Amino acid sequence: MAEHATQVITIAAPPQACFDVAIDFERYPDWAGDIKAVTVSERDAEGRGVLVRFRTAAFGRSTSYTLRYDYAEAPKVLSWVEEDGDLTSKLDGAYIFAETTGAGSEPATEVTYHLEAELKLPIPGFVKRRAEGRIMHTALRQLKARVEGSPPA
């Protein structure tokens, strides 16, 4: 049974800036704490990563998965589906970048992160929730820190 999670954060930058950081896959290891290595094996006509392999830390070990990205609604939506994973059978999701106004009427982005994950092996619920929290932390708070140029919270 797949687990669904959604979280929202506001980033003090325009949507395009958020989108640009989100698709700069090779730089994820610089700012996304659990991501150890990224390899882009397929690109679209604009040079954006379509098939991307990640190696991350999870459950006290290294895990790998490959995601296929869809740019049909870019730059408002960046979605993906898992092609292959050693611990996961499903790791599908999306970032949705919606323009909003921040403090002092500055441009800002409301970023919604959706994730649907299914593990190949059953694990206790509390472990799943802890893993979900780490994924959400990386996906949103560390993205925010990277885009805004501040250290991650």
Side-chain angles (χ1 to χ4, degrees), residues 23 26 40 42-50 71:
I23 66 168
E26 287 97 346
V40 177
E42 185 180 318
R43 295 183 184 275
D44 68 6
E46 294 181 39
R48 303 174 298 194
V50 173
Y71 296 96

Side-chain angles (χ1 to χ4, degrees), residues 31-37 55-58 131 134-135 138 142:
W31 60 269
D34 290 338
I35 299 188
K36 304 306 178 196
R55 186 174 56 79
T56 67
R134 286 191 66 91
I135 291 169
T138 297
Q142 291 181 2

Side-chain angles (χ1 to χ4, degrees), residues 3-133:
E3 299 285 327
H4 299 265
T6 300
Q7 283 192 8
V8 179
I9 198 167
T10 300
I11 298 178
Q16 188 66 52
C18 298
F19 178 81
D20 290 346
V21 169
I23 66 168
D24 192 3
F25 303 111
E26 287 97 346
R27 293 192 188 233
Y28 276 31
D30 297 343
W31 60 269
D34 290 338
I35 299 188
K36 304 306 178 196
V38 177
T39 304
V40 177
S41 57
E42 185 180 318
R43 295 183 184 275
D44 68 6
E46 294 181 39
R48 303 174 298 194
V50 173
L51 197 61
V52 183
R53 181 122 183 115
F54 294 87
R55 186 174 56 79
T56 67
F59 305 111
R61 60 169 284 210
S62 180
T63 183
S64 296
Y65 54 89
T66 302
L67 303 179
R68 179 168 297 279
Y69 286 87
D70 180 357
Y71 296 96
E73 298 178 69
K76 294 180 181 184
V77 178
L78 175 63
S79 61
W80 61 88
V81 295
E82 181 180 75
E83 291 270 314
D84 179 55
D86 58 3
L87 291 180
T88 52
S89 55
K90 180 177 239 181
L91 198 60
D92 302 351
Y95 281 112
I96 300 169
F97 305 103
E99 189 170 352
T100 189
T101 305
S105 299
E106 296 296 319
T109 304
E110 182 179 89
V111 181
T112 303
Y113 181 71
H114 297 290
L115 185 65
E116 185 176 352
E118 189 170 322
L119 297 171
K120 290 183 177 179
L121 301 171
I123 61 170
F126 76 93
V127 176
K128 283 183 193 176
R129 287 186 294 282
R130 191 174 74 200
E132 176 185 296

